[in-house]
Amino acid sequence: MPVTTKIQFFILFILYITTKCESVNVETVSSDIKFKNVDRTIDLTSQLVKITSKITLENSGKSPVKNFLLAIEASAKDNLASINAKDSSNKDLRTVESTVKGNANIKFWRVDLKEPLNAGSTVVVTAETVFTKALQPYPTAITQQEDQLVKYTGNLYVYSPYPVTPQKTNVAINTKSIETFTKVKPFSQQDGSIQYGPYSNMVPYSEKELSIHYKNNSPFLTVTRVERLIEVSHWGNIAVEELIEVEHTGAKLKGPFSRYDYQQDHHSGPASVRSYKTLLPASASDVYYRDTNGNISTSNMKVKKDSVELDLRPRYPLFGGWRTHYTLGYNVPSYEYLYHSGNEYLLKMRVIDHIFDDMQVDELTTKIILPEGSTGIKLNIPYPVTRLPDSLHYTYLDTKGRPVITFKKNNLVENHIQDFQLRYTFPRLLMLQEPLLVVGFLYALFLCVIIYVRLDFSIHKSEHQHKD
């Protein structure tokens, strides 16, 4: 191998190792930190499991602490959709996914404090986590008249890499119909909730199964796939279109379905979904809602001050295991989302819009079509996504094609309704391209007509000319 080739290979190897080290944050668990008090709330009232922990963090060491770790046990990490932390002023704290040596099965997040925590001091931090598909229908199939029962299996204790003393847990269920639940003293049960604790002197990584079997007829709708298309025009309009596939992932329907009973008895099908509300931007116009059969007229639209509310009603009610898909589209004015300075442009729009309350989305694909001639494209998204290769989209009067930026994200909830930023360069003179193409085409057409009318392309002369 030549010397220059060896040097290039060595440089590439060093760059690869450096990149890998920067992308994986390896942390150590500080022995100076402990959770002096934790008040935890587990919300089981919808199809999502929302856990909010109010943590009193104490620095028992001798030097200031700049960050601490949050941990998710191995049994729950695959269902985690969102995690964030806030300080006592309800301001977001920077949260970075990390690892701890020797704990490969546990997910860790490093939370950076706004200010270093001095020795002997405490600070209050609120951690919020959202889990999808953590509630399992039990039984898995029910008849049209039956209520839906679900089972939750979690951790009775706060899972933490630090000692916790003491801790309390409140489980919100919002129903009196509880079949069974874990009973570990001290505990108490009230209407719609169960209180556990306080439990003192808990060692790090404490686990004990918490199981609750109860009635939950809230909509168990899962958006299995969303394809979101955003087409940007510099002529004042941005078109948004979404292809949405929805499935009822609750207890499946057992036995026949009676349309007559469903319409006559409002208590029939308590776990089914008749309709749901979707929120669009307040400036949305020209809204359409259709499926493969055409426009769906069983829907209503209400314009509010801060949003456009759509009451979407599918052609048929959704029971467990039933699916539907539809297309939802609208237009918004570009001046609300597109900013520019000279030839530099900035697009700020949502990665995903609100589809329904307590939504869970299995897969999102977002495509952004920019004007032809856009270059220097830089995409910034507030959370990790999978960037797919760029492509080209051709439409009327295009010559080179319009650049298309595509990215994917799995397991989304309402916390992911955040703005992305897309910067690109577009020479403003290119806005004259399409009008000039139209003018040039018409000019060439009229020129061809003039030539055709003025010139004689016949092979034989007329008889009048032959006699002369």
Side-chain angles (χ1 to χ4, degrees):
M1 182 182 293
V3 177
T4 54
T5 305
K6 289 182 178 180
I7 294 174
Q8 291 175 354
F9 177 80
F10 179 75
I11 293 173
L12 291 173
F13 178 76
I14 295 297
L15 290 174
Y16 174 79
I17 295 298
T18 304
T19 304
K20 284 294 182 181
C21 291
E22 290 179 352
S23 61
V24 178
N25 299 281
V26 181
E27 306 289 340
T28 57
V29 179
S30 174
S31 58
D32 297 336
I33 297 176
K34 71 176 183 178
F35 289 172
K36 189 176 181 180
N37 184 62
V38 178
D39 285 333
R40 184 175 61 155
T41 299
I42 303 177
D43 186 350
L44 303 180
T45 58
S46 66
Q47 67 170 337
L48 302 176
V49 176
K50 304 174 184 178
I51 302 179
T52 303
S53 301
K54 187 177 181 181
I55 304 170
T56 302
L57 190 71
E58 182 181 23
N59 180 7
S60 59
K62 297 181 179 180
S63 58
V65 173
K66 297 181 179 179
N67 53 63
F68 70 99
L69 295 175
L70 294 175
I72 301 296
E73 54 266 56
S75 59
K77 66 179 183 179
D78 293 335
N79 300 109
L80 179 68
S82 171
I83 182 170
N84 61 75
K86 298 181 178 181
D87 60 12
S88 56
S89 302
N90 204 32
K91 294 182 179 179
D92 290 331
L93 299 176
R94 184 169 179 262
T95 306
V96 181
E97 187 172 354
S98 305
T99 60
V100 173
K101 193 173 182 179
N103 295 275
N105 293 329
I106 305 173
K107 277 194 172 183
F108 291 91
W109 278 263
R110 188 190 73 231
V111 180
D112 296 331
L113 300 173
K114 294 286 186 182
E115 297 179 357
L117 181 62
N118 294 323
S121 301
T122 61
V123 67
V124 177
V125 176
T126 302
E128 299 175 346
T129 52
V130 180
F131 298 87
T132 59
K133 300 181 180 179
L135 300 178
Q136 301 300 321
Y138 191 78
T140 58
I142 57 176
T143 63
Q144 182 176 332
Q145 303 297 331
E146 288 182 301
D147 289 312
Q148 178 176 260
L149 299 177
V150 300
K151 189 174 184 180
Y152 169 71
T153 303
N155 191 357
L156 179 64
Y157 303 128
V158 175
Y159 195 77
S160 167
Y162 311 107
V164 182
T165 174
Q167 61 174 284
K168 292 186 296 183
T169 298
N170 177 58
V171 183
I173 303 176
N174 201 25
T175 180
K176 297 180 181 179
S177 301
I178 302 176
E179 301 292 317
T180 59
F181 66 93
T182 298
K183 299 177 181 180
V184 176
K185 296 182 179 180
F187 74 92
S188 62
Q189 180 186 1
Q190 296 180 355
D191 293 343
S193 66
I194 306 172
Q195 291 80 33
Y196 291 98
Y199 303 119
S200 301
N201 301 322
M202 304 304 301
V203 299
Y205 307 113
S206 295
E207 283 191 86
K208 186 174 181 61
E209 183 179 282
L210 170 63
S211 178
I212 304 176
H213 187 204
Y214 66 102
K215 182 179 77 172
N216 188 343
N217 282 327
S218 61
F220 270 57
L221 284 183
T222 298
V223 181
T224 55
R225 180 174 173 269
V226 179
E227 185 172 318
R228 179 172 168 86
L229 181 65
I230 302 173
E231 186 170 358
V232 180
S233 171
H234 285 177
W235 296 97
N237 184 71
I238 298 176
V240 181
E241 184 176 87
E242 295 177 335
L243 176 63
I244 302 175
E245 299 177 3
V246 180
E247 180 182 0
H248 192 305
T249 51
K252 294 184 178 181
L253 179 63
K254 180 174 62 175
F257 166 66
S258 171
R259 170 73 71 172
Y260 176 79
D261 293 340
Y262 191 79
Q263 292 178 341
Q264 295 296 321
D265 185 3
H266 292 288
H267 298 288
S268 177
S272 66
V273 178
R274 301 170 187 263
S275 64
Y276 51 86
K277 287 180 170 36
T278 292
L279 299 181
L280 303 181
S283 57
S285 60
D286 305 324
V287 181
Y288 57 89
Y289 168 48
R290 61 172 182 257
D291 59 9
T292 52
N293 294 331
N295 291 329
I296 305 175
S297 59
T298 55
S299 60
N300 295 309
M301 186 175 77
K302 184 185 298 183
V303 179
K304 296 186 175 182
K305 290 183 179 180
D306 57 348
S307 64
V308 173
E309 182 181 279
L310 297 180
D311 183 15
L312 301 184
R313 186 178 296 271
R315 294 184 184 274
Y316 49 85
L318 296 177
F319 285 84
W322 293 18
R323 300 182 179 185
T324 186
H325 67 275
Y326 60 90
T327 300
L328 178 65
Y330 57 91
N331 294 320
V332 291
S334 59
Y335 68 83
E336 291 191 2
Y337 304 94
L338 190 62
Y339 312 90
H340 72 91
S341 176
N343 294 334
E344 302 296 325
Y345 286 80
L346 172 63
L347 176 67
K348 291 179 64 177
M349 292 191 72
R350 290 176 176 176
V351 176
I352 187 172
D353 268 325
H354 174 278
I355 301 177
F356 48 80
D357 291 340
D358 297 316
M359 69 180 189
Q360 60 181 24
V361 180
D362 286 347
E363 178 184 318
L364 165 71
T365 302
T366 298
K367 296 182 179 179
I368 308 164
I369 303 177
L370 297 179
E372 186 179 30
S374 300
T375 57
I377 301 169
K378 296 180 180 179
L379 179 64
N380 182 24
I381 301 179
Y383 42 80
V385 298
T386 302
R387 179 80 179 268
L388 301 181
D390 295 345
S391 58
L392 293 176
H393 174 76
Y394 292 90
T395 183
Y396 304 108
L397 303 176
D398 287 341
T399 55
K400 298 179 181 179
R402 305 185 182 190
V404 181
I405 291 80
T406 307
F407 58 86
K408 291 181 65 176
K409 173 71 175 174
N410 295 330
N411 200 15
L412 297 95
V413 292
E414 289 183 85
N415 299 42
H416 292 102
I417 303 178
Q418 301 182 39
D419 290 341
F420 68 83
Q421 294 185 0
L422 183 63
R423 299 179 184 273
Y424 63 94
T425 302
F426 179 80
R428 303 189 69 183
L429 287 176
L430 285 181
M431 292 187 66
L432 299 176
Q433 176 178 326
E434 292 183 359
L436 289 177
L437 284 174
V438 174
V439 172
F441 173 76
L442 294 177
Y443 178 79
L445 178 63
F446 290 146
L447 184 62
C448 292
V449 171
I450 291 173
I451 294 174
Y452 179 78
V453 172
R454 293 298 182 94
L455 298 180
D456 184 8
F457 295 97
S458 60
I459 298 176
H460 301 285
K461 293 184 178 180
S462 63
E463 293 183 359
H464 178 71
Q465 293 178 343
H466 182 71
K467 290 179 180 180
D468 291 343

